[in-house]
Amino acid sequence: MDFAFSEEQEMLRRTARDFLAKESPSSFVRKVMETEDAYDPDLWKKVAAQGWTALGIPEHYGGFGSFLDLVVVLEETGRYLVPGPFFETMAMAVPALLEAGTDAQKKEVLPLIARGEARATVAFTEPTGRWDAEGVALAAQRAGEGWKLDGTKLFVPGAGVADYLVVAARTRGAGEDGITLFLVKGRPAGMTVKPLSTMDMTHRWYEVKFEGVTLPADALMGEPDKGWTPLKRALDAATAGLCAEMVGGAAQVMEASVEYAKTRQQFGKPIGIYQAVSHKLADMLLEVESARSVTYYAAWAVDADAPDRPVAASIAKAYTSDAYRNIAGNGIQVHGGIGFTWEHDMHLYFKRAKASEVTLGDATYHRELVAQSLDL
Amino acid sequence: MDFELSPTEKAFRDEVRTWLKANAPTEAEEPESAGQRGGAPGEGLRPAGAEGGPPPLKEWIDKRRAWQKKLHEAGYVGIGWPKEYGGRGATLMEQLIFNQETIAARAPQPINVIGLGMGGPVVITHGTDEQKRRYLEPLLSADEIWCQGFSEPNAGSDLSALRTRAEDRGDHYVVNGQKVWTTLAHVAKWCLLLAREKPADNPRAGLTYLLVDMESPGIEVRPLVQITGDAEFNEIFFTDVKVPKSQILGEAGEGWAVAMTTLLHERGTLGMALATQAQVTIGEVAEHARKLGRGGERLARQRIAQHHIEARALQLNGYRAITKIMKDGIPGPEGSLMKMMWSELNQRMTETAIDLMGPFGQVRDGGSWQYSFLRSRANTIEAGTSEVLRNIIAERVLGLPRSR
């Protein structure tokens, strides 16, 4: 048994951390989060130059490295709150393309993503806010050779700067049967993309409306009506990837809080000497380390295509959602008044934690999936 | 990353599994504790000795002793110890496999828990050759049972406040004082005793670590009845007990360092066993919910799933810790983290099991879940309270300033 990252992966982690400390400090994040799409094209180019936009894409589609390598980088992008659709492109859209895309679609899109020349996301949730199959209602009908889409996708992360959208649509029935996936290129007529005013400004969500949008026949991904199985597999990968970002953020909050508790003095002593503070920090460590364990395992299970990959992803998301929220909240508490100010970075993590908590299903949703796996 | 066992490890696992299947007593034959006994509806837990209380411990202890002997004859006791000391020199993975297999098979633990977990490792680390020859073999075979005399009425978490005195009388010490919470003291042959030889400004200086013969004149053992009704623990009173100087472990006056080895072993090896235990417990809680027909209730599902998630996190933390030990060689303070996590999780799991029964949980389960529920309250106290463990994590892992 070897439950650790390889030497090469640890090196990648150090490189990523050094790179992002320089290229995505909080001053940069704050500047970019004020822009309409919370996206900086120059940073994307630099990230692509590092090779990170190729991670997890098979070599014959122009990529290299494994999903686990990508997870190493995602933990660091989460630590530095890197704005822009890196997670959406690499951990949502790439797995969806790999699971459901036709060879022609993969050949077209994956090399562009690998070279840093395209961004993509998955449009799943709708105004019901559900992350399960029942939530997919956007109507798709055959129209001549192609298809016609009508409906609204909501809370779609990164859609404003995405060149490609993987859209989950309803072609018949309800639930898992009758879901069909489409690859939408650019902005076809009838499709509108509107940014939402999100509490977490470092990451933008969008409303994407389809009003009689016609798509060519080759926009279809895989088989009609059978989209749920590959989509669920892609969502498992996305969930593991999101958890990695959350773990990175949680670790950063814990480290900053520990550092603050060592230096901030009250009653003539560093506040970390008081057990009311130090025990909170010990609990943060427990949660960070446990979140790491369940997340790394989920990432391995996705990478190795282990039979327990869906439940591993649910365990990771349920645990990490609660952990990141608790840690970010306690991070503010340990910092006291300064932690509540706009100038301090704690609120950026607190808001990211809350946004991540509801993305791809919250802890309650994933606990229910775990309960099902226990035959309850 | 790789979660596969090597071919040798798989072979060892199969060997252990086959042996346990053929030899381990079933839970009904031998419950985990004397308190975990069957009972008629309406029978709750009563104090030891009272009507309806636990059966005499002697019978339970005899069975456990016989079980350890059987394990020992098959070469399965102290498997991590070096071969020269009667062990098997098993790798960490083999120890993990062995623990997992015994727990999964619901096989009982050997009787000599204190001796195997702490006594043996301390003798191997600090003992003289003569001491190693004398003590290790009967410890492994369960011919001699060990207990641990550390805690006192006024020295709990603050162990260095202990007052039991060991007076130097030339070739021997005279011990006076009281120890408490001493598991197995009533059947033990040897006691790992930490006593104060010289008063010192630093309370950690001047302590001496002695191995005391429990059959010595002047020793009185009184059982302490716990909230479960069992009497696992005892008080030991020492009145002018003569202990020859050949019974010192390590150097006279250097008992604190020896004691720390004891505790490191206690917490270091415990983590993975606890993680496996949690896997078994959550399986039982889920089964309990299914049997009661309450598995469909939303809140019950959420609680049980959360327990399962935390038990899995605990197990995976253990895998990461083991990987680290295999790469770096030394157990870190992570053992404290795992013990703390397990003890609090175990309290929540057993409480869920009781809650699922509603008012029936108070009256008629014949003791099993009631026993586990009540016993779990000690988990956050014994072998380091959760408060002390949080201090250790804060200071040794996070590097925060010492609070005391």
Side-chain angles (χ1 to χ4, degrees):
Chain A
M1 170 160 55
D2 176 15
F3 193 11
F5 288 103
S6 68
E7 264 310 306
E8 293 75 18
Q9 285 164 337
E10 288 302 336
M11 205 189 298
L12 173 62
R13 180 192 301 284
R14 285 191 293 275
T15 310
R17 200 173 289 184
D18 292 346
F19 173 85
L20 292 172
K22 191 167 142 275
E23 299 294 341
S24 182
S26 115
S27 54
F28 170 83
V29 172
R30 284 164 182 269
K31 199 176 76 196
V32 176
M33 78 185 192
E34 300 286 350
T35 64
E36 180 163 337
D37 293 307
Y39 167 69
D40 179 70
D42 288 339
L43 179 66
W44 196 271
K45 283 193 195 103
K46 291 178 191 168
V47 163
Q50 293 287 316
W52 300 348
T53 52
L55 293 176
I57 295 177
E59 279 176 33
H60 54 279
Y61 296 120
F64 58 83
S66 67
F67 183 72
L68 269 178
D69 298 333
L70 175 68
V71 156
V72 168
V73 171
L74 283 168
E75 189 173 331
E76 300 311 313
T77 58
R79 176 183 282 273
Y80 288 96
L81 298 169
V82 175
F86 184 75
F87 158 75
E88 291 86 331
T89 303
M90 303 308 300
M92 292 181 85
V94 168
L97 277 158
L98 289 174
E99 294 291 344
T102 62
D103 193 50
Q105 288 165 340
K106 291 184 212 177
K107 275 187 180 140
E108 176 192 336
V109 184
L110 293 175
L112 285 175
I113 289 177
R115 291 200 300 271
E117 291 164 16
R119 286 146 298 279
T121 188
V122 174
F124 184 93
T125 37
E126 303 190 8
T128 53
R130 296 174 69 150
W131 278 100
D132 56 6
E134 304 288 335
V136 177
L138 182 131
Q141 288 175 320
R142 287 192 189 271
E145 292 291 298
W147 300 81
K148 189 161 79 73
L149 269 57
D150 279 288
T152 301
K153 290 289 177 184
L154 202 57
F155 321 117
V156 182
V161 290
D163 304 288
Y164 292 92
L165 231 63
V166 175
V167 180
R170 173 69 55 195
T171 36
R172 73 171 185 212
E176 296 178 10
D177 179 53
I179 289 178
T180 304
L181 304 178
F182 296 96
L183 182 66
V184 177
K185 185 177 176 179
R187 302 274 172 99
M191 181 178 121
T192 49
V193 178
K194 196 176 85 185
L196 303 172
S197 175
T198 41
M199 188 165 71
D200 168 23
M201 294 169 67
T202 65
H203 226 65
R204 206 68 85 233
W205 290 354
Y206 298 82
E207 178 195 74
V208 183
K209 270 197 171 153
F210 295 83
E211 290 165 307
V213 174
T214 54
L215 297 177
D218 64 3
L220 176 69
M221 297 174 78
E223 267 186 84
D225 302 325
K226 307 282 184 213
W228 177 251
T229 305
L231 181 59
K232 177 64 172 65
R233 285 178 56 83
L235 291 176
D236 293 340
T239 301
L242 179 60
C243 288
E245 277 212 325
M246 296 165 79
V247 161
Q252 176 58 32
V253 170
M254 176 187 77
E255 289 162 26
S257 302
V258 166
E259 202 42 45
Y260 188 73
K262 287 179 187 171
T263 49
R264 166 73 174 170
Q265 302 238 341
Q266 284 292 277
F267 308 103
K269 289 172 182 161
I271 60 170
I273 211 166
Y274 304 114
Q275 293 176 348
V277 175
S278 69
H279 287 190
K280 260 194 180 68
L281 297 171
D283 284 335
M284 282 191 196
L285 180 81
L286 185 154
E287 289 187 314
V288 166
E289 291 305 320
S290 301
R292 281 202 162 111
S293 296
V294 290
T295 295
Y296 295 166
Y297 182 79
W300 174 84
V302 166
D303 195 59
D305 203 9
D308 63 344
R309 92 205 263 289
V311 70
S314 283
I315 286 174
K317 187 57 168 60
Y319 191 91
T320 308
S321 293
D322 287 340
Y324 194 9
R325 183 195 59 240
N326 285 339
I327 290 167
N330 280 329
I332 292 179
Q333 185 67 21
V334 167
H335 281 80
I338 194 75
F340 188 66
T341 62
W342 191 266
E343 284 85 342
H344 201 279
D345 287 344
M346 276 297 138
H347 73 105
L348 300 180
Y349 290 93
F350 185 71
K351 291 167 183 171
R352 176 66 79 85
K354 207 62 197 164
S356 303
E357 183 185 339
V358 297
T359 302
L360 297 168
D362 63 8
T364 306
Y365 168 70
H366 284 285
R367 272 193 293 267
E368 172 53 31
L369 295 183
V370 171
Q372 287 169 20
S373 81
L374 296 173
D375 293 326
L376 280 177
Chain B
M1 283 183 200
D2 175 19
F3 292 86
E4 281 288 299
L5 297 179
S6 73
T8 348
E9 289 163 353
K10 272 186 191 149
F12 180 70
R13 179 197 63 194
D14 294 343
E15 174 207 314
V16 171
R17 194 172 286 178
T18 311
W19 188 87
L20 286 170
K21 204 166 180 202
N23 293 282
T26 64
E27 184 125 337
E29 284 165 15
E30 194 169 332
E32 182 52 36
S33 154
Q36 259 175 306
R37 62 210 183 275
E43 183 184 297
L45 299 167
R46 299 282 181 276
E51 196 187 336
L57 278 171
K58 193 183 169 309
E59 196 187 329
W60 181 79
I61 282 162
D62 288 347
K63 277 188 176 174
R64 275 302 166 85
R65 201 193 283 262
W67 169 237
Q68 185 173 334
K69 271 196 188 305
K70 202 170 185 180
L71 278 170
H72 180 54
E73 280 156 17
Y76 290 132
V77 178
I79 61 166
W81 296 12
K83 282 185 182 155
E84 51 181 315
Y85 302 128
R88 195 181 172 114
T91 63
L92 208 56
M93 273 310 293
E94 287 168 342
Q95 294 177 55
L96 171 67
I97 290 164
F98 184 76
N99 279 340
Q100 286 184 334
E101 291 301 318
T102 36
I103 293 170
R106 313 282 170 87
Q109 294 300 307
I111 182 76
N112 218 353
V113 277
I114 308 282
L116 291 167
M118 293 180 257
V122 165
V123 169
I124 290 170
T125 314
H126 297 280
T128 62
D129 288 345
E130 171 56 31
Q131 287 171 331
K132 288 173 190 167
R133 270 193 300 276
R134 166 64 187 83
Y135 297 116
L136 296 176
E137 177 56 31
L139 189 164
L140 289 167
S141 66
D143 284 330
E144 293 177 349
I145 293 172
W146 292 44
C147 66
Q148 177 200 18
F150 276 25
S151 295
E152 297 184 5
N154 290 307
S157 291
D158 182 8
L159 180 59
S160 67
L162 63 87
R163 291 181 195 167
T164 294
R165 289 292 311 272
E167 255 181 86
D168 189 340
R169 297 276 178 87
D171 66 338
H172 67 277
Y173 288 102
V174 170
V175 174
N176 279 287
Q178 183 193 348
K179 294 289 176 180
V180 73
W181 319 128
T182 322
T183 308
L184 297 170
H186 52 301
V187 286
K189 167 69 177 168
W190 299 107
C191 179
L192 294 160
L193 183 82
L194 194 58
R196 184 164 300 287
E197 181 173 343
K198 297 182 198 83
D201 287 344
N202 175 0
R204 294 176 180 185
L207 299 175
T208 297
Y209 200 112
L210 295 169
L211 190 52
V212 177
D213 186 345
M214 291 294 285
E215 290 167 27
S216 314
I219 293 183
E220 190 197 343
V221 177
R222 291 184 202 158
L224 270 173
V225 179
Q226 306 153 213
I227 68 173
T228 56
D230 257 359
E232 273 178 277
F233 304 134
N234 303 273
E235 294 176 291
I236 316 180
F237 296 87
F238 297 86
T239 312
D240 294 332
V241 178
K242 278 173 82 170
V243 182
K245 281 202 171 161
S246 60
Q247 297 303 97
I248 301 173
L249 276 168
E251 300 292 319
E254 298 296 326
W256 186 258
V258 184
M260 287 306 105
T261 316
T262 318
L263 295 180
L264 185 69
H265 276 280
E266 184 180 24
R267 287 175 200 155
T269 51
L270 203 61
M272 267 324 298
L274 295 177
T276 310
Q277 187 59 57
Q279 293 288 318
V280 172
T281 309
I282 184 57
E284 288 172 350
V285 173
E287 178 61 23
H288 181 57
R290 281 191 291 266
K291 276 189 187 152
L292 292 168
R294 300 201 56 182
E297 292 172 27
R298 188 174 152 85
L299 192 55
R301 296 171 74 79
Q302 287 281 315
R303 274 176 80 171
I304 294 166
Q306 182 62 24
H307 298 329
H308 177 80
I309 289 161
E310 290 176 36
R312 182 70 173 145
L314 179 67
Q315 187 185 42
L316 292 169
N317 284 346
Y319 290 165
R320 281 177 60 220
I322 281 205
T323 301
K324 196 160 163 280
I325 296 173
M326 289 193 294
K327 284 184 177 163
D328 307 343
I330 347 156
E334 293 82 5
S336 297
L337 199 69
M338 296 201 51
K339 192 271 179 182
M340 176 178 115
M341 211 174 153
W342 170 78
S343 59
E344 295 176 2
L345 171 61
N346 199 43
Q347 289 178 348
R348 290 194 288 272
M349 289 194 293
T350 53
E351 183 144 30
T352 295
I354 286 283
D355 290 353
L356 285 169
M357 293 183 278
F360 293 102
Q362 301 300 306
V363 290
R364 74 163 192 196
D365 85 326
S368 181
W369 280 115
Q370 288 179 354
Y371 176 84
S372 308
F373 166 66
L374 293 171
R375 183 62 182 77
S376 76
R377 300 318 299 185
N379 298 154
T380 49
I381 301 167
E382 58 200 349
T385 64
S386 285
E387 289 73 19
V388 162
L389 298 180
R390 282 186 170 81
N391 285 345
I392 290 174
I393 292 161
E395 291 162 17
R396 296 191 208 160
V397 185
L398 299 177
L400 290 165
R402 278 184 71 86
S403 57
R404 324 167 290 291

